[in-house]
Each structure stands twice: as structure tokens, then as C-alpha cells.
Amino acid sequence: MDIVVKGRKTEVPDLFRKHVAEKLKLEKIQKLDGKVISLDVEVSKEPNPRQADRCDRVEITLRSRGPVIRAEASANDPYAALDLAAEKLDARLRKQHDKRNTRRGARRLTAAEVPDHVPGAATLNGNGQAVPDEQSDGVPTKKIGSLEVKGEGPLVVREKTHVASPMSLDQALYEMELVGHDFYLFVDSETKEPSVVYRRHAYDYGVIHLSTDPMVTQAQPPAAGGTLGG
């Protein structure tokens, strides 16, 4: 297995590629996860001068036969960002390794302890912002990825599609901790409906379940066509 290093809207010098190979030692990684398939390192740069202290961003993605493990960090240079991301990756690899080798680990949040619903939940977009109910007319429309955006609109930085296997709420929380994100979208194994778990305050978690409105389904017009009587 090789380490794939790529830049997103930036050049990656050979010296940095060599540093990546020295920092992410494959022998050490394979001891913690012997089923590693690929290890990708993506480097990007933030052009905004107001974010000079975290202008360089490094994202490490490890794919194996188990869950995907991702670690990312930003700093004022790519070497510092790589060091921070590598530390996060090592911690998550060890956590997964310990979980595999321990039948009963530390107590985790059970489904009964997570609220069945979140009071006052609003319709949210991918950035966690409320979706407006009204759309203004007469404004120029442009395509951003697969979206049609009116006016200035939101800037879509990245669009991803993942293949999801149904899982329990406990497993979704565990997967969220592995990738280091504040939310995780999954398909609930009990309801077969999309759901989202997210981190609230301290060690509290929230969950949002989506279900089809039966009234909307019943209000759909019948399919055109039919059998003509003779």
C-alpha cells in the first residue's frame, strides 16, 4: 500500500511528500489496522489573509475493511497541520484497535438515553443553517455542482456522496467519533430512514430522525393511465 498525496488548488512539493512518508509510518499504521486498503493525504490552502494562522489544511483519510477514519487539521504551515492531523489519526486508530480487542469497553450512550426528538428543530441545510421558506423571483440563477443557486447564494465548497449501510444509533455515534466530526448522517437499521446524530454540549448528543409524512404521500395525484372498459 502506498500513501497518495495530492493538493487541492495548490502545489505539493516533493520535500513535503517525503515528510508525509516519514511522519505516517505504514508499518505502525498496519500494526493498529491490518486491513488498511488506502491512505490519502490532501493538502489545501486558504487564500483569505484573515485566516493566516490556519491557512494550510491537511486531511488524512484511511480506508480499510472497517469504518473510514479521517483526521484533519489547519495551521500556519502544512508541516504543522500534518503533525496535528497525524496525532488525531493515531489516537483514532488506537481507539478503534482497543475496541476490536476488548469485548466490553467503556460505557457508551445507549439509544434509550438519547432523546427521541429535538424540540424546536428546524429544516436545516448542509451548513446547519435554516432553509428560507421564500425564494425571490427575477434573480439570476447559476449552477454550482448539482445545485441551482439564485443570486449570490451559498458557496458550495465540496460535494460528497457516500454509500451507507444501515446501522444502530450506538454505531453511528461511534463512527462520528472516529471521523472527528460534530455530526454524522446515517440510515437507521430499525426504521430504515435517514437520521443525523450530532454533538451538542460537552458529552451530550442529539439525534434527528426523518420520516415520510403519510398525509403528503396520500395527497399525491394518482398515476396517469388505466384500463379502459369495453
Side-chain angles (χ1 to χ4, degrees):
M1 181 193 70
D2 295 326
I3 302 176
V4 178
V5 183
K6 56 185 178 181
R8 181 159 59 88
K9 298 182 180 180
T10 186
E11 294 292 332
V12 181
D14 292 337
L15 184 62
F16 183 79
R17 295 177 185 273
K18 182 180 179 181
H19 183 70
V20 170
E22 294 174 350
K23 190 68 180 180
L24 302 177
K25 297 186 181 298
L26 293 178
E27 298 82 1
K28 181 179 178 181
I29 292 175
Q30 289 175 333
K31 284 183 179 180
L32 296 173
D33 189 342
K35 299 180 180 180
V36 177
I37 299 174
S38 65
L39 184 61
D40 299 331
V41 178
E42 183 179 87
V43 185
S44 59
K45 195 170 187 67
E46 171 58 55
N48 189 346
R50 295 182 179 181
Q51 300 183 7
D53 58 333
R54 48 190 178 92
C55 60
D56 289 285
R57 179 173 176 272
V58 173
E59 178 178 320
I60 306 173
T61 303
L62 185 148
R63 293 180 175 84
S64 68
R65 297 180 185 177
V68 175
I69 300 178
R70 184 176 289 106
E72 56 189 60
S74 299
N76 57 358
D77 69 78
Y79 293 90
L82 175 65
D83 292 346
L84 293 173
E87 290 177 3
K88 293 181 180 180
L89 180 70
D90 183 70
R92 289 165 190 166
L93 272 172
R94 292 183 182 279
K95 180 178 179 179
Q96 185 188 28
H97 180 266
D98 293 341
K99 182 177 183 292
R100 285 197 305 264
N101 291 279
T102 304
R103 290 186 177 181
R104 297 184 63 87
R107 180 179 177 274
R108 293 179 291 154
L109 190 66
T110 65
E113 294 173 312
V114 179
D116 293 333
H117 61 277
V118 180
T123 302
L124 304 178
N125 60 18
N127 296 323
Q129 300 171 334
V131 177
D133 295 328
E134 298 180 358
Q135 298 290 340
S136 59
D137 296 326
V139 180
T141 302
K142 60 184 177 180
K143 292 282 290 186
I144 300 179
S146 61
L147 302 177
E148 288 189 0
V149 178
K150 290 187 176 182
E152 293 299 326
L155 176 61
V156 179
V157 178
R158 184 180 301 180
E159 181 180 357
K160 292 184 178 181
T161 301
H162 296 281
V163 178
S165 300
M167 63 179 65
S168 65
L169 181 58
D170 283 354
Q171 183 64 25
L173 289 169
Y174 174 68
E175 299 276 357
M176 181 181 71
E177 293 294 342
L178 276 183
V179 297
H181 288 175
D182 292 329
F183 69 94
Y184 192 82
L185 175 64
F186 70 104
V187 177
D188 194 295
S189 58
E190 293 185 5
T191 65
K192 302 300 187 293
E193 297 284 355
S195 301
V196 174
V197 291
Y198 61 96
R199 185 177 289 104
R200 300 185 69 211
H201 305 290
Y203 295 99
D204 292 337
Y205 298 96
V207 58
I208 299 175
H209 298 291
L210 297 181
S211 61
T212 304
D213 188 342
M215 299 300 294
V216 175
T217 304
Q218 294 174 7
Q220 295 294 329
T227 303
L228 296 177

